Amino acid sequence: MVIMNQEIRRLYARIETLEKENNILANNHSLKYNIFSRSNDGILIFDSQERIVDVNPSFAESIKTDKQHLIGRRLSDIVPKNRHFKLEKQRELLKKKESVRGILPIYNGRTIIEFDFTTSILNEDGLYMCILRDVTSKRLLERKVKKNEELYADLFIEALDGIIFWRGNGEIIDANEAACRIFECTHDELLNKKIKDFVYEKSERYKSIVKEMFVKGSIRDELVFLMPNGQFKSLEFTVKLNSVEGYHMTIFRNVSERHAMEKSLRESEQKFRMIFEGALEGILLWNNQFEIVDINQSGQRMLQMTKKELIGVSLHSILNDCNITDDELKEQIKNIHSAGQSDGNLSITLKSGRKKFFEFSNKLNIFSNISMTTFKDITEKLEMEEQLRKSDTLHVIGELAAGIAHEIRNPMTALKGFIQLLEDSVKEDHTMYFNVITTELSRIDSIINEFLILAKPQAVKFVEKDISQIMKETVDLLSAQAVLHNVQFRTYYEKNLPNVFCESNQMKKVFINIIKNAIEVMPKGGYITVSIQKGFDHKVHISIRDEGTGIPAHKIKKLGEPFYTTKERGTGLGLMVTYKIIEEHKGTIEVESKLGEGTVFHIHLPYSLKAGMK
């Protein structure tokens, strides 16, 4: 009985022990479950085939994927293909040691999340436990820090501008290589100095800059700095107080070369402007749209237009206003674009009505899409050449005329005498014949007198005369002849005209020659318009206009040449003498004519050449 009771007690004790062990196991299982399910870190359990057996809620939530969707999948299904080498590395290390650590990216089908992981052997059944902590934000921060470091290296270390960090007392604490080059110092030498040590002059301006800098917290300006090697440099600088960790930053840029270039450019511009404005030739600058950009003083004077009138105006419109045809313009533009330049001569009728001849040269794109035209007035040159040509002809004709006049005058005198004797001795009435002979002999005598005017200079005395009065007397003299040809005069004489220094008889001869020609070219009658008014350059402008058939352009140039005439019985001596008389009076004659409309003779006589006429 005693033995029985002892056995019963041992049995109860064993039962009690088993119950305690079961309670402990239950408690451990509950503890492990709580750790697995409530851990903030993700926990993933997989087998030897890397097939996922279980995941805790934290891991499922961190990759935004349902737990049931993960269980049964392989690790390679949730790790990006380009990171599978990490899984292979993990397998190799787990064969050698009980745990592995590293960074593992997980792909949830939408984004990649990076985890810091620790994998260890869970039990002998071939299960492994991987604890994962989301380090995506941390990795992003690390990359940002690295990027900032690279940016710092780019901005500070490798910057082309000099960058210096300094304390409040001006002491330099750091500088990049560019700053060392600018200040001609090594890095160590620069760290032992203050920025103000390099300032050349501590002037009032410098003090004002410093004061403004501390008031505003930043400033941008420019000063002259003296380098240790004695070199002066103009430095542009930007200061920012308390820019990095309480230190101040100044960025320097060497602008010495820029100032030198600007100075050189200003000097070049001044030289160009002096040459441009001082040139005797006209210089015209124009852009690709043929708009005038600039013109020098000589050009303004030649074209009789101001810079204000020309700048911004199309070159085409200016030339069209000067009676240059579109065909001539197109030909010039074609030459410019094909060869890059062109040259030639052209005649321009100015606003004053004066016709000028110019020699020009065009050059395309001489600088910055600006083209240039240079031109010079060759009117006087052409007139001088024409005068020389006429002078040579007149000289020969003069010598010939003197000889002819001398040889003809003697027989002419005899003919006149014998005609008179015959007229008195012949009893029959031959008055008509004698009148014809006498008239023709008088005409021959008149031609000889005109020859003699060309043959030698006449002793002419110039006096002050009212040119309007001389014209009135000439018109009155020719009025009767005009009436016979059904021609009427229209006259306009400006009041208070200055007197002209001239020889009145010669001027009458000029007016008679021109007006008689005007009457003769209007067989059906019409009007001759005579006007006298004050012109340009201290000259009186006399115009005589007819309503005849007009003169072709190629014939106008030959008017006044020896023996050239547009009339059937003319000798050409009348206009030749006319031109010579006007030339002796220091005047000019210009002829303007349109076929079918008539001709205008413009005579310009100076009224301020008294000293030269005596």
Side-chain angles (χ1 to χ4, degrees):
M1 190 66 175
V2 174
I3 295 171
M4 179 65 75
N5 287 336
Q6 288 178 346
E7 286 295 329
I8 290 171
R9 282 197 295 270
R10 280 198 298 271
L11 181 60
Y12 277 117
R14 178 63 178 164
I15 290 170
E16 224 174 82
T17 300
L18 288 173
E19 285 178 352
K20 285 181 181 179
E21 288 178 353
N22 284 334
N23 287 334
I24 291 170
L25 287 172
N27 288 335
N28 285 342
H29 180 74
S30 177
L31 179 62
K32 286 180 182 179
Y33 177 76
N34 286 335
I35 292 171
F36 180 78
S37 61
R38 296 182 182 181
S39 173
N40 291 328
D41 293 332
I43 301 174
L44 184 150
I45 297 172
F46 61 93
D47 60 19
S48 59
Q49 302 299 317
E50 294 184 346
R51 185 175 282 105
I52 299 172
V53 175
D54 200 0
V55 297
N56 72 341
S58 291
F59 179 73
E61 185 180 348
S62 64
I63 65 171
K64 303 291 188 289
T65 304
D66 185 66
K67 174 178 179 179
Q68 299 303 321
H69 183 70
L70 292 171
I71 294 173
R73 298 180 67 186
R74 294 181 180 275
L75 292 181
S76 58
D77 293 337
I78 62 172
V79 174
K81 287 183 179 180
N82 61 349
R83 291 293 184 270
H84 282 184
F85 68 90
K86 287 182 173 286
L87 296 177
E88 294 173 3
K89 189 72 174 175
Q90 178 178 257
R91 284 195 295 270
E92 293 176 4
L93 292 174
L94 286 173
K95 292 176 182 178
K96 300 176 182 178
K97 50 186 182 179
E98 293 183 352
S99 64
V100 177
R101 295 191 63 183
I103 300 294
L104 188 68
I106 301 295
Y107 180 62
N108 63 3
R110 296 180 299 278
T111 58
I112 293 177
I113 304 157
E114 294 189 78
F115 291 92
D116 187 352
F117 76 93
T118 301
T119 301
S120 57
I121 299 171
L122 183 62
N123 55 35
E124 294 177 356
D125 295 332
L127 294 179
Y128 299 88
M129 182 175 66
C130 181
I131 300 174
L132 303 105
R133 178 171 295 174
D134 187 350
V135 293
T136 305
S137 299
K138 178 184 175 184
R139 296 284 287 178
L140 287 174
L141 184 61
E142 287 174 352
R143 290 193 190 102
K144 188 174 181 181
V145 170
K146 185 178 180 182
K147 188 175 181 180
N148 287 339
E149 289 175 352
E150 291 172 353
L151 184 62
Y152 169 78
D154 289 338
L155 292 179
F156 180 72
I157 298 173
E158 299 178 8
L160 296 175
D161 292 334
I163 302 175
I164 288 178
F165 289 101
W166 49 283
R167 293 189 177 93
N169 61 358
E171 182 184 352
I172 298 171
I173 60 168
D174 200 2
N176 65 352
E177 291 183 10
C180 296
R181 286 195 300 271
I182 290 173
F183 286 93
E184 308 289 343
C185 292
T186 64
H187 189 265
D188 291 339
E189 289 172 341
L190 207 53
L191 296 184
N192 292 323
K193 294 182 179 293
K194 296 180 179 181
I195 294 177
K196 67 179 182 179
D197 296 340
F198 295 94
V199 177
Y200 176 58
E201 288 183 340
K202 311 295 192 300
S203 60
E204 290 299 321
R205 181 169 174 271
Y206 165 74
K207 294 175 183 177
S208 174
I209 290 172
V210 173
K211 182 178 179 181
E212 185 180 352
M213 175 185 69
F214 281 107
V215 169
K216 293 184 176 180
S218 63
I219 197 168
R220 182 174 183 173
D221 215 308
E222 186 178 308
L223 285 171
V224 176
F225 291 77
L226 177 62
M227 304 301 124
N229 61 3
Q231 184 181 5
F232 290 97
K233 290 185 181 180
S234 293
L235 301 183
E236 184 183 75
F237 57 87
T238 301
V239 179
K240 179 69 177 175
L241 299 182
N242 303 313
S243 64
V244 178
E245 298 179 358
Y247 296 120
H248 313 312
M249 179 179 70
T250 303
I251 301 173
F252 291 93
R253 178 173 293 177
N254 188 355
V255 292
S256 302
E257 290 184 5
R258 189 188 74 192
H259 287 336
M261 288 176 65
E262 288 173 353
K263 182 180 178 183
S264 176
L265 186 61
R266 283 194 299 271
E267 290 175 353
S268 297
E269 187 177 352
Q270 288 173 356
K271 288 177 184 177
F272 167 77
R273 183 55 58 180
M274 289 174 65
I275 295 170
F276 180 75
E277 293 296 347
L280 296 177
E281 292 185 346
I283 302 176
L284 197 68
L285 302 179
W286 42 278
N287 59 23
N288 290 341
Q289 287 72 46
F290 294 94
E291 294 175 344
I292 296 173
V293 175
D294 204 353
I295 185 172
N296 67 347
Q297 293 180 2
S298 296
Q300 296 174 62
R301 186 172 59 254
M302 290 181 198
L303 297 178
Q304 295 180 4
M305 298 178 77
T306 64
K307 184 179 289 191
K308 188 177 180 181
E309 292 176 293
L310 290 167
I311 290 180
V313 178
S314 170
L315 198 59
H316 292 173
S317 64
I318 295 292
L319 293 176
N320 281 330
D321 290 344
C322 295
N323 297 325
I324 303 301
T325 65
D326 288 336
D327 290 338
E328 289 175 315
L329 277 175
K330 288 177 182 176
E331 184 64 26
Q332 287 297 325
I333 292 169
K334 180 181 176 183
N335 291 338
I336 292 172
H337 284 296
S338 61
Q341 63 180 29
S342 68
D343 48 41
N345 299 323
L346 57 82
S347 61
I348 293 178
T349 303
L350 304 178
K351 287 184 177 179
S352 63
R354 181 79 187 277
K355 192 172 186 179
K356 290 274 189 176
F357 294 90
F358 292 98
E359 186 178 75
F360 67 88
S361 176
N362 297 314
K363 289 188 178 178
L364 196 66
N365 292 331
I366 56 168
F367 61 88
S368 301
N369 294 323
I370 297 296
S371 302
M372 179 177 70
T373 297
T374 58
F375 57 97
K376 59 182 178 180
D377 187 351
I378 58 171
T379 307
E380 292 183 3
K381 176 187 172 185
L382 293 178
E383 288 175 351
M384 189 176 295
E385 288 175 353
E386 184 66 17
Q387 287 174 2
L388 286 172
R389 187 179 65 80
K390 288 182 178 180
S391 177
D392 290 341
T393 306
L394 286 171
H395 178 71
V396 174
I397 291 173
E399 292 181 353
L400 180 63
I404 292 173
H406 178 73
E407 294 298 329
I408 292 177
R409 273 240 163 117
N410 290 332
M412 277 283 296
T413 304
L415 285 172
K416 283 183 180 180
F418 282 114
I419 288 298
Q420 290 175 358
L421 289 173
L422 282 172
E423 189 177 3
D424 294 337
S425 61
V426 176
K427 295 179 180 179
E428 297 180 17
D429 186 11
H430 296 295
T431 305
M432 184 183 69
Y433 299 123
F434 286 115
N435 286 339
V436 171
I437 293 170
T438 304
T439 301
E440 292 303 314
L441 286 173
S442 297
R443 186 166 178 270
I444 293 171
D445 191 50
S446 175
I447 292 171
I448 291 170
N449 287 334
E450 289 181 343
F451 263 127
L452 289 175
I453 290 174
L454 299 173
K456 60 179 180 179
Q458 306 295 308
V460 178
K461 183 178 180 181
F462 290 92
V463 294
E464 280 191 11
K465 286 288 182 179
D466 183 353
I467 199 70
S468 298
Q469 184 60 37
I470 295 172
M471 180 62 79
K472 288 175 185 177
E473 292 174 1
T474 306
V475 170
D476 291 341
L477 180 66
L478 296 174
S479 292
Q481 184 179 348
V483 169
L484 292 174
H485 290 81
N486 196 27
V487 172
Q488 299 181 52
F489 287 101
R490 288 174 175 165
T491 58
Y492 169 76
Y493 307 123
E494 188 177 309
K495 294 181 179 180
N496 302 320
L497 283 172
N499 290 335
V500 174
F501 291 91
C502 64
E503 205 290 315
S504 58
N505 289 326
Q506 285 194 350
M507 291 310 302
K508 279 184 182 179
K509 190 173 186 65
V510 168
F511 298 152
I512 288 170
N513 284 339
I514 295 174
I515 293 173
K516 281 180 68 178
N517 285 344
I519 293 171
E520 291 172 5
V521 297
M522 294 193 296
K524 295 181 181 180
Y527 288 95
I528 293 176
T529 305
V530 179
S531 69
I532 304 176
Q533 55 191 342
K534 197 172 181 180
F536 297 96
D537 299 330
H538 303 287
K539 290 182 180 180
V540 171
H541 178 206
I542 304 159
S543 68
I544 301 170
R545 181 189 299 271
D546 64 52
E547 295 178 350
T549 56
I551 305 171
H554 68 279
K555 290 185 177 181
I556 290 177
K557 296 179 180 179
K558 295 184 178 181
L559 292 178
E561 291 186 1
F563 307 112
Y564 182 80
T565 179
T566 57
K567 296 184 291 186
E568 290 182 6
R569 296 189 62 200
T571 62
L573 293 175
L575 276 181
M576 188 175 178
V577 170
T578 297
Y579 274 80
K580 184 171 179 63
I581 291 171
I582 295 299
E583 181 183 343
E584 289 175 349
H585 282 72
K586 309 298 181 186
T588 58
I589 297 179
E590 294 175 0
V591 182
E592 178 186 349
S593 185
K594 288 186 179 180
L595 293 175
E597 295 184 14
T599 303
V600 186
F601 277 79
H602 298 281
I603 302 172
H604 302 274
L605 290 173
Y607 56 79
S608 60
L609 297 176
K610 184 175 180 180
M613 293 296 186
K614 289 183 178 179

